[in-house]
Amino acid sequence: MRFATDRRLPAAPARIAAVALLSITAFLLSGCASAPSPVKTHSSKPAATPVFATNDEALAAATKAYAEYQSIGQKIAQNGGEGATQIVSVVTPTKAKAELQEFKELRERGYRQVGESRYTKIQLQEDQITDVGGALSIYVCVDSSATDFVDAAGTSVLPSDRSPLATVVAQFKSASAEHPKQLVVSRIEPWSGKSIC
């Protein structure tokens, strides 16, 4: 979705505002959905082996990966989208394409982030990562009360009535078969269910 004359952030930078306010979906994205449920299939192949032995181990890996994503994303947003390629190291290739487009739009509009958002709570939603693929999802409560997006004149471009707290679902995949416990972000979406904030 593009806005020719609207001063609000378009859908992509809105994600930066809510997830990079998180850290790099909320204000102008349409539809809220949780991470998809895994599809059960029958196979003669050996059962897949879970990557993480416990939920605590899975949550710790996801928390670390989210923190890295948030830190890098916010620095890029604070620089108005400059240095965007740094995000590639903490996201999947598909997610990287979307993120790079978001930062490009920030640069073109002359917008930048001021302040920093933080996450106040993280909960495991599901861990389906195995040695043959799958995904891991967490709920994140993001506090963006100390964050804003401004234009070149320093005027806020975010809705004045935005909520400072938002629950999102962040999904992760293994970075590679060689490093299955190293997670990268594959998707972040607003959560339409009960807030964890």
Side-chain angles (χ1 to χ4, degrees):
M1 182 184 304
R2 296 290 182 267
F3 296 87
T5 58
D6 197 329
R7 290 175 52 80
R8 296 176 298 170
L9 290 176
R15 181 175 308 176
I16 299 171
V19 180
L21 268 188
L22 294 136
S23 174
I24 279 210
T25 329
F27 305 115
L28 303 177
L29 286 177
S30 59
C32 299
S34 63
S37 299
V39 177
K40 295 182 180 179
T41 58
H42 299 286
S43 173
S44 60
K45 295 179 181 178
T49 303
V51 168
F52 299 106
T54 66
N55 285 344
D56 287 344
E57 184 184 7
L59 183 60
T63 300
K64 178 182 178 183
Y66 183 83
E68 291 173 351
Y69 168 78
Q70 184 182 49
S71 176
I72 292 173
Q74 290 198 121
K75 287 176 183 174
I76 298 168
Q78 288 166 346
N79 289 325
E82 296 298 329
T85 55
Q86 297 172 67
I87 203 71
V88 172
S89 65
V90 292
V91 298
T92 61
T94 300
K95 179 73 171 155
K97 185 176 180 180
E99 296 282 327
L100 292 173
Q101 179 61 35
E102 292 169 8
F103 289 128
K104 179 182 177 184
E105 292 187 26
L106 277 188
R107 292 193 303 272
E108 290 174 347
R109 290 172 174 260
Y111 294 168
R112 64 182 174 84
Q113 178 180 328
V114 293
E116 291 188 0
S117 64
R118 61 190 182 96
Y119 58 86
T120 60
K121 192 180 220 180
I122 289 182
Q123 291 180 0
L124 185 67
Q125 183 189 53
E126 67 175 355
D127 174 13
Q128 297 292 331
I129 289 189
T130 70
D131 57 349
V132 295
L136 182 155
S137 300
I138 59 173
Y139 299 108
V140 184
C141 175
V142 181
D143 180 355
S144 61
S145 58
T147 315
D148 200 355
F149 271 72
V150 299
D151 61 18
T155 303
S156 176
V157 295
L158 296 182
S160 59
D161 60 348
R162 68 184 173 94
S163 173
L165 296 176
T167 298
V168 299
V169 174
Q171 187 177 78
F172 305 83
K173 292 186 177 182
S174 293
S176 66
E178 294 77 22
H179 303 284
K181 292 187 178 185
Q182 181 182 340
L183 303 181
V184 291
V185 175
S186 60
R187 188 168 70 181
I188 295 182
E189 294 184 347
W191 172 243
S192 60
K194 183 178 179 181
S195 174
I196 70 165
C197 296

